[in-house]
Amino acid sequence: MIDHNNQEEYRDPMNYDLEFGGETDKYEFFLELAKQHPGHVLELACGTGLVALFLAERGIPITGVDIVEPMLAYARVKAKGLPVKFIEADARTFETDQRFSMIFLTGNAFQAFLSDEDQHALLQTVYNLLEPGGIFAFEMRNPDGTDLSDEEEEHWGTFTDMDGVTVNVSGNQKYDAGNQIMHWTTIRDWGHRQTTSRIACRFTDVQILQQLLEKQGFAVESQYANWDQTPFEPSSPMVISVCKKG
């Protein structure tokens, strides 16, 4: 299932970095994981390369794959001289002769795969491209720790754009319980103009997730509630899974 609305959120890569960059605790988590499993790393759904470039700057050889070319174009501008390459491809069908010691997704990108078929295709890609014993890591919002009720527009926060303008961010959410898909609409207000983007994310039950991973040949080694490796609990808002290829 492809939801082309999901790409609306990624049409302004420079301001995307200003709004979502700076999550150093997350970057350090993946850096330490990569150091523990030396080799070539792959990030799927890498966007503008916020995490990939953080790792590359610290000497980790890494490849980033994404389906949105404008995000990759900006990633390449930032990447000069670093041990990183960026490839436009669909994570469900991406193929290469390279094998990786670690593969990861972040930014809750796993939730952008909206059907059983999408999830299976993604996990098959990961399994095929990992070295024996390689590590797969990703995070997602935990449905049991998230308010999935419908909400009207409310203020979500602010950020400062590349021109120094404070942008007010608000939005609403509507949950499709039958398909376990949340639909968010985000409104960014510059004062003199507004943009609207839509995104859909699937909420997978953590127990079902674990069964899916095991069925695809992964052993779940650790699950955390946040980037400082606090153990996951059923009510945690987020679950970070670290898995090994069997």
Side-chain angles (χ1 to χ4, degrees):
M1 180 191 299
I2 297 175
D3 188 335
H4 292 287
N5 289 337
N6 272 2
Q7 297 186 23
E8 293 178 349
E9 187 71 0
Y10 311 118
R11 59 194 172 193
D12 188 354
M14 285 186 281
N15 280 323
Y16 177 91
D17 275 13
L18 292 169
E19 183 173 358
F20 297 108
E23 296 181 90
T24 53
D25 53 348
K26 176 169 72 175
Y27 307 160
E28 292 285 355
F29 176 90
F30 287 113
L31 175 62
E32 290 307 309
L33 205 56
K35 287 179 176 178
Q36 292 165 20
H37 302 87
H40 203 110
V41 174
L42 173 65
E43 181 182 5
L44 296 171
C46 67
T48 62
L50 286 167
V51 186
L53 291 168
F54 183 89
L55 270 60
E57 287 166 355
R58 287 150 184 84
I60 305 295
I62 187 165
T63 297
V65 168
D66 201 280
I67 202 169
V68 184
E69 174 54 32
M71 301 287 273
L72 292 174
Y74 187 47
R76 294 186 187 107
V77 168
K78 298 186 292 179
K80 293 178 181 178
L82 293 172
V84 60
K85 62 179 177 180
F86 293 104
I87 299 171
E88 182 183 1
D90 187 327
R92 296 168 298 181
T93 56
F94 176 58
E95 295 181 354
T96 176
D97 292 334
Q98 176 82 53
R99 293 297 176 263
F100 301 91
S101 59
M102 179 178 119
I103 298 176
F104 71 96
L105 297 87
T106 191
N108 299 305
F110 182 82
Q111 293 182 255
F113 297 84
L114 300 179
S115 68
D116 290 347
E117 293 76 16
D118 287 345
Q119 290 181 346
H120 283 291
L122 167 69
L123 293 176
Q124 190 64 57
T125 295
V126 173
Y127 190 88
N128 290 344
L129 297 182
L130 272 178
E131 297 172 351
I135 291 296
F136 173 45
F138 65 100
E139 91 277 14
M140 70 173 198
R141 303 172 187 88
N142 174 23
D144 289 337
T146 303
D147 182 0
L148 297 177
S149 58
D150 292 354
E151 294 180 359
E152 298 300 318
E153 184 180 343
E154 61 180 13
H155 181 70
W156 286 350
T158 63
F159 71 96
T160 303
D161 79 352
M162 58 188 177
D163 297 317
V165 175
T166 298
V167 182
N168 287 297
V169 183
S170 60
N172 60 60
Q173 67 181 42
K174 185 173 181 59
Y175 189 57
D176 174 357
N179 292 304
Q180 299 174 294
I181 293 175
M182 179 67 79
H183 296 273
W184 280 289
T185 301
T186 304
I187 301 159
R188 295 177 175 88
D189 189 345
W190 275 258
H192 62 286
R193 69 182 179 99
Q194 280 190 349
T195 63
T196 301
S197 62
R198 294 160 292 172
I199 192 166
C201 288
R202 188 182 192 192
F203 279 77
T204 302
D205 179 84
V206 174
Q207 290 182 327
I208 292 174
L209 174 69
Q210 184 142 344
Q211 294 168 7
L212 174 63
L213 289 164
E214 291 171 353
K215 184 177 180 180
Q216 292 285 326
F218 296 98
V220 179
E221 292 208 317
S222 305
Q223 288 187 316
Y224 305 113
N226 53 41
W227 301 113
D228 67 9
Q229 300 186 31
T230 300
F232 173 75
E233 296 182 355
S235 61
S236 300
M238 178 171 70
V239 54
I240 305 165
S241 298
V242 178
C243 315
K244 179 177 282 189
K245 177 177 177 175

